[in-house]
Amino acid sequence: MNLNWYNKSVKQTVDELSVDMKKGLSGEEAESRIQKYGHNELKEKAKETMLQKIIKQLKDFLVIILIVASIVSGLVGEISDSIVIIAIVIINAVLGVLQEGKAEKALEALKKMSAPNARVYRNGHIEIIPAKNLVPGDVVLLEAGDSIPADLRLFESINLKVEEASLTGESVPVDKHAEEVFESDMPIGDRVNMAYMSTIVTYGRGKGIVINTGANTEIGKIAEAIQSFEDEVTPLQLKLNELGKWLGIACLVICALVFAIGFLRDGHLLEMFLISVSLAVAAIPEGLPAVVTIVLALGMKRMVQRNAIVRKLLAVETLGCVTVICSDKTGTLTQNEMTVVKTYTGRTAYRVSGQGYNPAGEFAVQDSKIDPMQDNNLKLLLASGVLCNDSTLEQKSEEENIWGIVGDPTEGSLMVAGAKAGMEKVAMNEAYDRVAELPFDSTRKMMTTFHKDYLPGKIISFTKGAPDIILSRCSKVYLNGRIEPLTDEIRKEITGVNSAFAGEALRVLAFTYREYDKLPAGIDSDSIENELVFIGLMGMIDPARVEASDAIKVCKGAGIKPVMITGDHKDTAVAIARDLGLMSEGAGVMTGADLDKLSDEDLRVQAEQVSVYARVSPEHKVRIVEALRQNGHIAAMTGDGVNDAMALKRSDIGVSMGITGTDVAKGTADIILMDDNFATIVAAVEEGRIIYSNIRKFVYFLLSCNIAEIFIIFISLLLNMPVPLIPIQLLWLNLVSDSFPALALGTEKGEPDIMKMKPRNAKEPILNRQLITGILTLSIAQTIAVLIAFVWSLNTHGGDLLYARTMAFTTLTVVELIMAFSCRSERLPLLKLGVFSNRSLIWASMTSFALMLAVIYLPFLQPIFKTVSLGWMEWGTIISLAAIPLIAGELYKAVARRAEARA
């Protein structure tokens, strides 16, 4: 189908689509066209099957190593080892699939919250049908408040205004003119004879012919473009893959080395092979994939409690390393609720407090509060704004005190300003009945309504509109209850105030009135909208969210650069950015026109200095995000509109709004904010940092345990000693004794200054120099403690290997459980954290300890794990030796803190 419908006249459109504008399509014809064009729904990317989801979970390098270890264990006859390893692999995969499945279900629930309908002509009657059943050629009726259900070529527009913020980013509604026919290509925002799917009618009424549905609509094309982008690997995935490969290589090298040493010392081939398998089991932290999955799942659960749905398990962590947040302005940083903030009347400027559609606020001159009902000038100005108005103010939720507007947002702001002074629309209309009107149109840029009884025995007309046009039609001014001549001096003052308001990025309307003894016989603009009495000005803006300002402060404190990317005007964007504190000293501003002049390389350079991008298109947003990423940034993109979706996909992490967000944006995002609150982003960033910090803590703990196991076996072989630990004991330590404390470390609360630290380098491995040094310190300390216990037991029990191995196994278990408390922080001492402040770790340690006692003392388990019962003397030795790694860990942290302070 030809896409340039805005170049065609209404007649051409009607002829091409074979439609009767008065009767619409017949039911049979509509059904036939559904068969031809399909339903009016966006195509979704094919969902992963259960098998694909499981395979994705099993692709992890560590998991692959575990599977190989399981197979090898089975081949050499260690069936129990093989079964336990494969069990942990299956548990890990199931957990990952279940958690991501929950996120998908939550998203599906969001999509079903509001199934749109459409009013159409069918079979000569007006019918309300599901929007998905619309077809090209359907005649759709539009009125204020309607969401446009498909792409339409308008053929009737009566004062029709459409808010296209979700598509273009422009928050001010666009005037539509069905009679227009364009000769050349026009950008979406200028196609005034068209109406597009997902945009909203804010004023007037109209009719249009459906010209495109589903994937052929403008948002459908965007959705298709989004699906062409492949999902990218997150930083945590890269880190875990890197860690897995490192462990795998280390495992192979150590196993080969041990096998070679043992064989050259006349060791038996099978015995050396079994010892090598033992080392492989010791080298790989089998519990790591499961613990990572569980910790991320717990993070997802906490995010839901903080009003965020995480669609991808690893996305939580990615937020923790973002260095820049690119945010749309309308509805994300602002309230998407036009608000009157300044008025001018009686030669006095007033400040209006209160934000959004909540009718709570005050009026003040400088710092002095005033009562609008006691100020004749202000009272008349507010009355004109309420009466010359077609919008409605409604309380959506009494409990939560949430208000909304039906109609034009600009008119809605006038309604709210009046309500703050006690002038309610219903009461005002009943008291001062509207008897006639001249509707607004974009040619006159004015609107006039006539009311009776506002002045006793008189008819009064209120006219509002663009200040320059209104002022040119005024000959008088209302001052302190009297009508005075509009002198050049006063006219100049009004013009100056208007310029000052506009300079603050306010949208300004002027208000006037005129008196009549009776309703004029001929009501037309030339006779009515002249010789007007000037009342005053109202300046309004879509205000910044209060919580967004605080969130931006926290972001900056955390070393994260906030960037505004909007389709709105430059002055408006800058005003909001300054109000939020988003623009730092010397920060740059760039428009879409400026962007078009820059090469990708030049944009990369400029992007580091720019904090505000205005009048940009969806393609510009993608270029900006990619430029930032090429500069090494981890970029998050927040937004709610269709126009945000491609940039959401290209960013490292996309964050969509759950209430105002379009389905396209929600389906593309990694995280969905259920409360549309920008401040939730800060909570998500903090949560991501906590999760990564906790992952490092349990990697610190698990690897120190595993490397200690390697050292114990390796050194015993070098010293020609018996192996202190057998494979089943190593497996028990790795999967049971270690996993519970590791999981508890994953629930650790964030350290107090976590949001005052700079974002970590996304390329820095989990095992950086600091962590490796700490792991080696603890591993050596554990090795010393266990080998002392093993040798002591051999000497005191006449070389009883079974007893000595039980002693080594028990000592290592106790050492690891006590050492877990030191691993709660890489920097802070245990006493400062509080020994008992992590209750999960206490319960986990008690559980692991109880299970260890079962393995040692229960007769039916002793043959399986090759253990014997220990006496009180042995326990005294074990507890004494367990203090060695704890002291070593605390001393290492003290040295590290001093080194950090000197740096």
Side-chain angles (χ1 to χ4, degrees):
M1 296 174 67
N2 191 334
L3 296 178
N4 295 326
W5 293 93
Y6 55 87
N7 297 133
K8 300 179 180 181
S9 67
V10 172
K11 186 177 185 307
Q12 288 175 302
T13 304
V14 168
D15 290 344
E16 189 163 332
L17 291 172
S18 305
V19 60
D20 185 326
M21 290 192 296
K22 293 182 180 179
K23 293 183 179 180
L25 300 175
S26 66
E28 294 78 10
E29 179 61 24
E31 185 61 37
S32 170
R33 295 190 185 193
I34 283 180
Q35 299 301 319
K36 181 178 180 181
Y37 299 111
H39 283 288
N40 181 32
E41 296 174 320
L42 299 183
K43 288 181 180 177
E44 294 186 2
K45 200 171 184 178
K47 292 183 179 179
E48 291 180 329
T49 64
M50 182 60 70
L51 180 61
Q52 288 172 325
K53 289 177 181 178
I54 292 171
I55 290 172
K56 186 175 72 174
Q57 296 291 330
L58 298 177
K59 281 182 180 178
D60 182 85
F61 195 78
L62 268 180
V63 174
I64 292 171
I65 294 175
L66 287 177
I67 293 170
V68 172
S70 174
I71 294 169
V72 171
S73 297
L75 291 175
V76 298
E78 299 293 336
I79 303 300
S80 59
D81 292 6
S82 177
I83 291 171
V84 174
I85 294 173
I86 207 68
I88 202 69
V89 168
I90 293 169
I91 291 168
N92 175 64
V94 170
L95 282 172
V97 170
L98 287 177
Q99 286 301 325
E100 294 194 2
K102 286 180 182 177
E104 285 180 5
K105 286 180 181 177
L107 185 66
E108 289 298 321
L110 272 178
K111 287 183 178 180
K112 292 176 181 177
M113 279 172 62
S114 55
N117 291 322
R119 289 193 309 135
V120 299
Y121 282 124
R122 284 275 177 94
N123 301 309
H125 304 288
I126 295 176
E127 295 182 12
I128 297 175
I129 65 170
K132 72 174 187 178
N133 292 337
L134 286 175
V135 293
D138 262 323
V139 176
V140 178
L141 289 74
L142 304 173
E143 60 183 29
D146 286 350
S147 176
I148 293 174
D151 286 0
L152 310 176
R153 172 58 168 96
L154 299 170
F155 65 85
E156 181 181 294
S157 56
I158 301 171
N159 303 316
L160 184 63
K161 292 185 182 182
V162 177
E163 184 197 279
E164 298 180 336
S166 66
L167 193 61
T168 66
E170 175 59 68
S171 59
V172 177
V174 178
D175 292 304
K176 294 296 181 178
H177 303 285
E179 70 280 1
E180 287 279 358
V181 178
F182 297 102
E183 299 292 329
S184 57
D185 287 345
M186 300 293 290
I188 290 177
D190 294 333
R191 299 173 190 171
V192 296
N193 58 1
M194 302 287 294
Y196 292 103
M197 187 177 187
S198 86
T199 59
I200 298 169
V201 179
T202 62
Y203 191 84
R205 53 192 174 85
K207 296 176 183 176
I209 301 169
V210 175
I211 48 94
N212 281 318
T213 58
N216 293 321
T217 61
E218 289 297 325
I219 71 162
K221 286 183 277 185
I222 292 174
E224 226 170 56
I226 292 163
Q227 291 184 7
S228 68
F229 292 125
E230 293 298 322
D231 290 334
E232 298 189 9
V233 179
T234 69
L236 181 61
Q237 285 173 310
L238 291 172
K239 301 284 191 308
L240 291 175
N241 289 342
E242 183 183 341
L243 179 60
K245 288 173 184 176
W246 182 90
L247 290 172
I249 292 168
C251 172
L252 293 173
V253 170
I254 292 169
C255 288
L257 188 61
V258 168
F259 184 82
I261 292 171
F263 188 69
L264 291 174
R265 287 187 174 182
D266 299 324
H268 294 290
L269 186 65
L270 182 58
E271 183 183 352
M272 285 299 99
F273 189 74
L274 288 172
I275 291 172
S276 296
V277 171
S278 299
L279 272 177
V281 172
I284 302 167
E286 287 86 355
L288 182 60
V291 172
V292 169
T293 302
I294 292 168
V295 168
L296 288 172
L298 290 172
M300 288 176 73
K301 186 176 180 181
R302 287 195 297 270
M303 290 304 298
V304 169
Q305 292 168 353
R306 300 175 89 166
N307 293 315
I309 290 177
V310 182
R311 295 186 61 238
K312 297 177 182 176
L313 201 59
L314 294 168
V316 182
E317 178 277 334
T318 311
L319 264 175
C321 62
V322 296
T323 57
V324 58
I325 297 177
C326 301
S327 174
D328 188 40
K329 177 184 71 69
T330 306
T332 307
L333 291 169
T334 65
Q335 300 177 28
N336 202 18
E337 296 180 355
M338 292 295 286
T339 305
V340 173
V341 292
K342 288 191 175 181
T343 65
Y344 167 82
T345 181
R347 305 190 74 171
T348 303
Y350 301 80
R351 186 167 40 83
V352 187
S353 67
Q355 292 193 344
Y357 295 147
N358 191 325
E362 296 173 331
F363 296 80
V365 178
Q366 296 179 346
D367 293 327
S368 302
K369 295 178 183 177
I370 63 164
D371 181 356
M373 303 309 287
Q374 301 299 317
D375 184 314
N376 288 328
N377 297 296
L378 187 54
K379 181 180 177 182
L380 182 61
L381 177 64
L382 295 173
S384 65
V386 172
L387 291 170
C388 187
N389 198 315
D390 287 332
S391 68
T392 304
L393 177 65
E394 294 181 346
Q395 189 168 20
K396 293 183 177 180
S397 171
E398 189 172 344
E399 289 181 4
E400 299 179 22
N401 200 26
I402 296 175
W403 295 75
I405 287 292
V406 176
D408 182 76
T410 300
E411 287 201 322
S413 69
L414 305 178
M415 291 290 306
V416 175
K420 288 174 182 177
M423 298 181 184
E424 295 184 358
K425 172 78 176 286
V426 175
M428 291 286 284
N429 281 345
E430 287 178 355
Y432 314 116
D433 190 31
R434 183 188 295 190
V435 292
E437 65 183 288
L438 280 171
F440 176 88
D441 68 54
S442 57
T443 304
R444 290 169 28 248
K445 294 187 178 179
M446 290 184 290
M447 172 182 177
T448 299
T449 59
F450 294 81
H451 303 267
K452 62 182 181 181
D453 298 331
Y454 189 84
L455 297 174
K458 297 275 188 179
I459 294 292
I460 187 171
S461 67
F462 290 112
T463 301
K464 72 171 185 235
D468 53 339
I469 295 174
I470 288 286
L471 201 54
S472 69
R473 296 185 177 229
C474 291
S475 58
K476 301 177 182 67
V477 61
Y478 184 79
L479 292 173
N480 302 317
R482 298 192 307 272
I483 296 175
E484 304 282 353
L486 182 58
T487 64
D488 290 341
E489 178 190 352
I490 296 175
R491 192 181 294 272
K492 185 177 180 181
E493 180 183 317
I494 294 169
T495 302
V497 172
N498 178 47
S499 298
F501 281 9
E504 296 176 40
L506 302 184
R507 187 178 187 197
V508 187
L509 288 179
F511 297 82
T512 66
Y513 82 99
R514 187 172 170 182
E515 300 177 17
Y516 305 89
D517 292 327
K518 62 179 182 178
L519 187 66
I523 298 177
D524 59 75
S525 178
D526 291 337
S527 62
I528 298 300
E529 295 172 335
N530 277 303
E531 299 298 319
L532 302 172
V533 180
F534 182 83
I535 304 172
L537 305 171
M538 288 200 216
M540 60 218 69
I541 196 169
D542 179 10
R545 288 179 178 266
V546 177
E547 63 274 15
S549 179
D550 295 333
I552 284 170
K553 287 178 185 175
V554 176
C555 283
K556 288 187 173 183
I560 300 167
K561 179 184 178 183
V563 175
M564 179 191 292
I565 305 179
T566 179
D568 216 335
H569 294 280
K570 178 180 176 181
D571 291 344
T572 305
V574 169
I576 293 294
R578 284 180 177 156
D579 188 25
L580 287 168
L582 185 144
M583 288 185 73
S584 305
E585 201 63 39
V589 182
M590 189 178 289
T591 64
D594 298 329
L595 271 168
D596 288 333
K597 297 173 185 175
L598 296 178
S599 66
D600 289 344
E601 189 58 39
D602 290 337
L603 178 57
R604 281 184 60 184
V605 176
Q606 294 286 335
E608 293 301 309
Q609 283 76 45
V610 177
S611 292
V612 175
Y613 296 87
R615 304 301 286 171
V616 297
S617 68
E619 291 76 16
H620 290 142
K621 292 186 178 187
V622 175
R623 282 190 67 198
I624 294 163
V625 170
E626 290 186 335
L628 289 166
R629 294 184 68 201
Q630 286 166 11
N631 284 344
H633 286 287
I634 298 296
M637 171 73 185
T638 69
D640 55 5
V642 177
N643 60 317
D644 297 326
M646 281 194 287
L648 287 174
K649 187 72 172 180
R650 292 301 297 149
S651 62
D652 292 285
I653 186 153
V655 185
S656 174
M657 304 298 135
I659 299 173
T660 59
T662 59
D663 283 346
V664 175
K666 291 173 192 172
T668 307
D670 301 296
I671 293 178
I672 300 168
L673 306 183
M674 296 302 294
D675 57 358
D676 285 15
N677 192 335
F678 183 82
T680 306
I681 289 292
V682 178
V685 169
E686 182 179 10
E687 192 66 50
R689 289 189 175 192
I690 290 171
I691 285 173
Y692 189 79
S693 174
N694 288 349
I695 287 173
R696 278 179 61 93
K697 288 169 188 173
F698 64 65
V699 166
Y700 180 29
F701 170 71
L702 285 176
L703 290 191
S704 64
C705 295
N706 285 75
I707 291 174
E709 292 164 10
I710 294 171
F711 284 172
I712 290 164
I713 293 176
F714 193 62
I715 291 172
S716 66
L717 286 172
L718 288 177
L719 298 177
N720 208 22
M721 294 166 53
V723 178
L725 298 164
I726 60 174
I728 191 69
Q729 291 172 345
L730 290 169
L731 204 57
W732 177 267
L733 283 163
N734 290 356
L735 296 180
V736 181
S737 296
D738 295 351
S739 291
F740 288 116
L743 184 56
L745 287 172
T747 67
E748 192 72 33
K749 293 179 180 178
E751 294 174 23
D753 59 350
I754 199 163
M755 286 302 286
K756 294 179 182 176
M757 299 177 183
K758 291 183 179 179
R760 69 181 184 277
N761 187 340
K763 294 180 181 178
E764 183 181 80
I766 292 177
L767 292 177
N768 60 7
R769 183 181 296 177
Q770 178 186 348
L771 199 61
I772 290 172
T773 306
I775 287 170
L776 289 175
T777 301
L778 292 181
S779 297
I780 291 169
Q782 290 176 81
T783 302
I784 292 170
V786 172
L787 287 178
I788 289 173
F790 184 67
V791 172
W792 176 83
S793 181
L794 281 174
N795 292 333
T796 56
H797 291 86
D800 188 334
L801 186 58
L802 192 64
Y803 209 99
R805 280 176 172 167
T806 304
M807 188 72 180
F809 171 69
T810 308
T811 302
L812 184 55
T813 304
V814 174
V815 160
E816 290 175 354
L817 295 181
I818 292 175
M819 189 188 68
F821 286 84
S822 181
C823 293
R824 288 177 56 199
S825 174
E826 295 177 50
R827 300 181 301 121
L828 302 178
L830 177 58
L831 291 177
K832 187 172 182 180
L833 290 170
V835 177
F836 303 105
S837 56
N838 186 336
R839 292 186 179 181
S840 297
L841 183 57
I842 293 170
W843 284 108
S845 300
M846 290 172 63
T847 301
S848 291
F849 187 76
L851 290 170
M852 178 202 67
L853 292 177
V855 167
I856 296 170
Y857 291 104
L858 290 180
F860 70 90
L861 290 177
Q862 287 177 337
I864 298 173
F865 290 93
K866 309 294 189 292
T867 58
V868 294
S869 300
L870 299 177
W872 290 109
M873 183 178 69
E874 285 76 20
W875 276 107
T877 305
I878 290 167
I879 292 169
S880 300
L881 292 172
I884 295 174
L886 178 64
I887 294 168
E890 292 300 298
L891 286 174
Y892 167 72
K893 287 194 282 186
V895 173
R897 282 197 304 276
R898 287 183 183 178
E900 186 180 321
R902 284 197 298 269

